[in-house]
Amino acid sequence: MADWYTNFANSGFGTTVTKQLGLPRPAVLRRYEPGRPLLPGPVVIGSAGSGRLRETLTRVVTDAGGTVLPAVEPDGEKPAAVLLDATGVTGPGQLVAAHDFLAPAIKRLRASGRVLVLADPPADADSPATAAARQALDGLVRSIGKELLNGSTANLVFVPEGAESSLASPVRFFLSGRSAYVDGQVVTLSAADVPTGEDADRPLAGRVAVVTGAARGIGAAIARVMARDGAHVVAVDIPAAGQSLAEVANEVGGTALQLDITAADAPARLVEHLRERHGGVDVVVHNAGITRDKLLVNMDAARWNSVMAVNLQAQLDITEALLAAEGVLRDGARVVCVSSQSGIAGNRGQTNYAASKAGIIGMVRAWAPAFAARRATINAVAPGFIVTEMTANMPFGTREVGSRINSLQQGGLPVDVAETIAWLAQPGSAGVNGQTVRVCGQSMLGA
Ligand SMILES: NC(=O)c1ccc[n+]([C@@H]2O[C@H](COP(=O)([O-])OP(=O)(O)OC[C@H]3O[C@@H](n4cnc5c(N)ncnc54)[C@H](O)[C@@H]3O)[C@@H](O)[C@H]2O)c1
């Protein structure tokens, strides 16, 4: 399923009309389907520095059932993904090797292709020239994202020395259809104990996952994707949404828990429910969120307070309670918090909402070391324009502009946010911690 314009632009009649009028023709994105190959074609791997990760990358691709092309020939097989190992780059002069590898490879890239660059983190560089070369890759990747056509994406992963074993899960995610709407993103890995032997189609098998705000929209999509990936879902929402909450919980074979997450006793009730009914929890997705928009000068305290309470304070209080309750947050737990592009770019009329969503980004960064010490992780996703009931009610013009001003020229789907959250929830994503990943199709806002 894509939005109406994408469907229209890809129909026979729509193709003719959009061509003649010079209108954008957004691609139908390649999305994940369990059991399908990781990629619809081979991967080409190149390097621009010492090539420290080349062997690991080759192994990750072949272990996932992919094939690696030795090189891209002008008339040869087209790659579905282009991986550049730029580790070991020590100065800007070496970057021309990135250009020399990427240009011909990207020329041959298939539709919904992937460009993924791996590099050392600029913050770890021992000289300004090295830091400059590493940071240059950020500008390179973001620009490639804006040049790619046909639903292809470009992303960058910084891999510190010692974090090589954290690489498999992010590489699989960025190559797969799970990352369909993740574009122009930068993720920095950390060294971690990464469990092996995960079932690629059911990576959450045997796990208990709490999803707040699960009665509809993005939360319901998260519940479905988590259940598809093998988790038992505890779906949480306010009592007023009880009917649809029960429907979602039944559909995914999970449990419904009616709970207003801002209630004073909500953290204690959730902890007790998880302890009594499930013996603990492995994954917590803080998805529930509200908007109460007004220009700051017209905003009353009630609007400010309610948004802060649901979007930020409840996440802090519940997470603190889970950390404090002995034996409830299990070893290797994953907490994923839903932020927003508004928290990065700011948004007119949303000072309260943007402040709460920016707060999430600070919160996960600050909590990451404490989570790592428990072999757990905490991360955020920041959705851009996602096609939901909320956005369907926007005026036509605002909705159309809002959904097109990104490199993929279309709004994302709730499932795109859900897939990114489910990836962060995987046991294999142990080396992704304290990060905020935008699911925004490389939106121009806050880029
Ligand atoms: N839709 C978008 O384009 C978009 C963009 C960026 C971020 N987000 C964020 O994604 C999340 C989900 O958004 P959505 O579009 O699905 O929203 P939605 O309004 O469709 O769903 C939110 C759910 O949260 C529940 N909820 C609200 N207050 C609650 C409370 N006190 N206790 C328990 N549950 C509560 C609601 O009942 C509802 O079921 C939110 O955090 C939102 O801020 C959405």
Side-chain angles (χ1 to χ4, degrees):
M1 188 192 81
D3 65 68
W4 74 270
Y5 181 80
T6 304
N7 284 332
F8 166 73
N10 285 282
S11 66
F13 175 62
T15 306
T16 314
V17 171
T18 48
K19 241 187 210 158
Q20 281 182 358
L21 297 179
L23 294 171
R25 196 149 69 84
V28 175
L29 304 180
R30 168 170 64 89
R31 290 192 164 88
Y32 174 74
E33 285 174 46
R36 296 277 295 274
L38 179 73
L39 284 160
V43 180
V44 63
I45 303 178
S47 39
S50 60
R52 165 165 73 85
L53 303 174
R54 221 185 145 121
E55 245 174 65
T56 314
L57 289 171
T58 306
R59 198 174 56 244
V60 168
V61 171
T62 50
D63 283 357
T67 47
V68 176
L69 273 184
V72 172
E73 304 296 343
D75 300 316
E77 197 175 0
K78 289 185 168 183
V82 175
L83 294 186
L84 172 69
D85 175 3
T87 53
V89 165
T90 52
Q94 280 170 296
L95 294 175
V96 69
H99 162 273
D100 294 349
F101 166 69
L102 290 172
I106 290 175
K107 209 171 214 162
R108 301 283 297 155
L109 189 64
R110 295 179 192 220
S112 277
R114 297 288 188 265
V115 175
L116 187 62
V117 176
L118 299 304
D120 303 294
D124 300 349
D126 55 9
S127 78
T130 302
R134 293 176 180 181
Q135 191 68 38
L137 293 162
D138 181 294
L140 171 73
V141 169
R142 289 177 199 267
S143 302
I144 291 171
K146 293 183 178 184
E147 291 184 4
L148 289 172
L149 301 169
N150 300 324
S152 295
T153 62
N155 292 286
L156 172 63
V157 177
F158 285 126
V159 190
E161 296 263 1
E164 293 76 12
S165 61
S166 300
L167 205 53
S169 162
V171 169
R172 279 200 309 265
F173 170 71
F174 281 115
L175 298 188
S176 79
R178 285 183 187 265
S179 64
Y181 200 61
V182 181
D183 194 8
Q185 291 305 291
V186 183
V187 169
T188 301
L189 303 184
S190 33
D193 256 348
V194 182
T196 51
E198 197 168 282
D199 176 346
D201 285 338
R202 287 178 67 79
L204 301 179
R207 310 231 142 199
V208 174
V210 171
V211 181
T212 68
R216 65 178 207 185
I218 295 172
I222 298 167
R224 291 186 188 108
V225 167
M226 293 267 166
R228 180 205 67 196
D229 284 356
H232 176 89
V233 175
V234 180
V236 175
D237 213 300
I238 48 173
Q243 176 73 28
S244 35
L245 181 68
E247 283 165 17
V248 172
N250 284 341
E251 183 195 325
V252 304
T255 316
L257 175 64
Q258 294 185 12
L259 186 70
D260 178 342
I261 56 165
T262 63
D265 64 349
R269 279 186 57 201
L270 182 61
V271 164
E272 265 334 285
H273 177 90
L274 293 170
R275 198 200 298 275
E276 299 291 317
R277 297 282 293 274
H278 306 284
V281 66
D282 304 283
V283 179
V284 180
V285 184
H286 292 296
N287 162 76
I290 59 168
T291 51
R292 296 288 182 270
D293 298 354
K294 274 276 180 208
L295 293 180
L296 181 68
V297 290
N298 299 326
M299 188 176 296
D300 53 32
R303 277 194 162 79
W304 180 272
N305 288 334
S306 57
V307 166
M308 280 297 165
V310 178
N311 295 6
L312 186 54
Q313 193 62 48
Q315 296 202 19
L316 273 161
D317 293 347
I318 290 173
T319 309
E320 253 164 26
L322 287 166
L323 284 167
E326 209 170 312
V328 173
L329 201 59
R330 293 202 188 110
D331 190 44
R334 303 275 177 264
V335 174
V336 188
C337 308
V338 178
S339 174
S340 167
Q341 169 179 289
S342 294
I344 294 165
N347 200 13
R348 189 171 186 275
Q350 290 200 316
T351 48
N352 51 354
Y353 183 76
S356 71
K357 294 298 188 178
I360 301 285
I361 296 170
M363 179 183 81
V364 303
R365 201 184 292 133
W367 240 328
F371 273 72
R374 300 171 65 130
R375 301 189 343 107
T377 67
I378 182 166
N379 292 285
V381 298
F385 190 100
I386 305 298
V387 182
T388 59
E389 277 170 53
M390 188 180 89
T391 52
N393 293 329
M394 286 173 144
F396 179 80
T398 317
R399 187 177 69 233
E400 277 311 294
V401 172
S403 64
R404 306 276 161 229
I405 49 168
N406 58 72
S407 295
L408 298 172
Q409 302 177 319
Q410 58 192 287
L413 302 179
V415 71
D416 298 324
V417 180
E419 294 285 12
T420 305
I421 291 173
W423 160 59
L424 291 167
Q426 290 177 3
S429 301
V432 188
N433 193 15
Q435 303 292 298
T436 296
V437 181
R438 293 176 65 167
V439 185
C440 67
Q442 197 178 28
S443 172
M444 310 290 166
L445 301 179

